[in-house]
Amino acid sequence: DAKTTQPNSMESNEEEPVHLPCNHSTISGTDYIHWYRQLPSQGPEYVIHGLTSNVNNRMASLAIAEDRKSSTLILHRATLRDAAVYYCILRDPFQGAQKLVFGQGTRLTINP
Amino acid sequence: ETGVTQTPRHLVMGMTNKKSLKCEQHLGHNAMYWYKQSAKKPLELMFVYSLEERVENNSVPSRFSPECPNSSHLFLHLHTLQPEDSALYLCASSPDRGYNEQFFGPGTRLTVL
């Protein structure tokens, strides 16, 4: 499985945008980029995924570099509820059974 | 609420005990998964079931025995566990095993004494 690299922790303020980076220099052409987050005392929660183009949904935006070696998860206006560990995961849908390989993720702290 | 429930939420057991973890999904999904999350380690996939058939066993010791009697229920039977097996055990489901999004339950916090 291709590896991702994320900062261990980040801090931001409430109501400000947050940009969470992820490096994946060994990404293959068929790997999708997935983001999940895990709030305290809960299981992981799907946030967004993409292949090449930038993606938007109600939770966040995903900006993918042109060479696909990095991506950024954007929370447009952080709230206290966004404090969580954010995981960037690569997955090849042609590998058969879906296998999410989680790294250590980025622990995001939101200050009031 | 994700539609995936797990019971019990907390479990303490001795090394000689036998216990079972239960997962139930109300989403009509065909694929179900067990993950293990130890302190200071990333989530690790343990087992994958698709249409009640085990399709992946991620080199898990035999003291963990999964069971999927139907597409809505998944069990993890535990016996002669070790203290290092203490962890958060998470269940997830997806419409099928190729689907992009997995829905996770809240987990069972297991402590082995």
Side-chain angles (χ1 to χ4, degrees):
Chain A
D1 298 303
K3 189 176 161 60
T4 63
T5 305
Q6 300 177 253
N8 287 335
S9 62
M10 289 185 64
E11 201 169 324
S12 186
N13 298 319
E14 202 175 6
E15 299 187 5
E16 289 184 0
V18 180
H19 290 234
L20 295 161
C22 181
N23 287 319
H24 28 79
S25 58
T26 59
I27 191 170
S28 75
T30 50
D31 280 333
Y32 279 74
I33 302 159
H34 294 249
W35 284 83
Y36 279 73
R37 70 179 185 180
Q38 188 171 17
L39 279 66
S41 302
Q42 294 189 29
E45 172 187 36
Y46 167 85
V47 179
I48 201 166
H49 77 277
L51 182 62
T52 56
S53 305
N54 294 344
V55 185
N56 300 298
N57 66 20
R58 63 175 179 80
M59 289 180 72
S61 295
L62 176 59
I64 301 172
E66 200 167 328
D67 64 3
R68 301 210 325 125
K69 293 184 185 300
S70 65
S71 60
T72 302
L73 180 71
I74 302 166
L75 307 179
H76 294 285
R77 203 159 166 261
T79 69
L80 295 177
R81 199 195 170 276
D82 292 320
V85 178
Y86 285 79
Y87 299 99
C88 171
I89 301 164
L90 302 183
R91 191 184 82 80
D92 184 346
F94 299 103
Q95 275 192 356
Q98 187 188 80
K99 187 173 176 175
L100 295 178
V101 180
F102 287 80
Q104 297 284 7
T106 297
R107 183 173 297 278
L108 176 65
T109 302
I110 304 295
N111 300 314
Chain B
E1 287 294 327
T2 63
V4 180
T5 58
Q6 292 187 243
T7 54
R9 293 295 306 275
H10 300 270
L11 178 62
V12 179
M13 60 186 288
M15 290 191 285
T16 58
N17 292 157
K18 287 185 182 181
K19 296 285 183 185
S20 295
L21 309 184
K22 179 182 176 182
C23 174
E24 186 172 358
Q25 55 95 0
H26 312 275
L27 302 167
H29 290 171
N30 291 322
M32 297 186 77
Y33 313 78
W34 279 118
Y35 288 85
K36 174 184 177 182
Q37 187 171 34
S38 306
K40 300 190 178 165
K41 286 179 72 174
L43 271 97
E44 302 169 76
L45 178 67
M46 299 175 74
F47 301 103
V48 180
Y49 275 82
S50 177
L51 296 171
E52 300 136 52
E53 179 186 342
R54 190 189 314 176
V55 295
E56 183 148 349
N57 175 345
N58 212 26
S59 303
V60 180
S62 59
R63 58 186 183 270
F64 295 92
S65 174
E67 178 191 3
C68 188
N70 55 63
S71 59
S72 299
H73 294 87
L74 185 65
F75 294 89
L76 189 63
H77 304 299
L78 316 171
H79 63 98
T80 58
L81 294 192
Q82 305 298 311
E84 59 264 30
D85 296 321
S86 299
L88 181 69
Y89 289 85
L90 291 154
C91 173
S93 73
S94 63
D96 59 55
R97 60 180 179 158
Y99 197 75
N100 281 308
E101 182 179 351
Q102 289 184 14
F103 296 76
F104 284 80
T108 295
R109 174 71 60 189
L110 173 67
T111 303
V112 182
L113 301 176

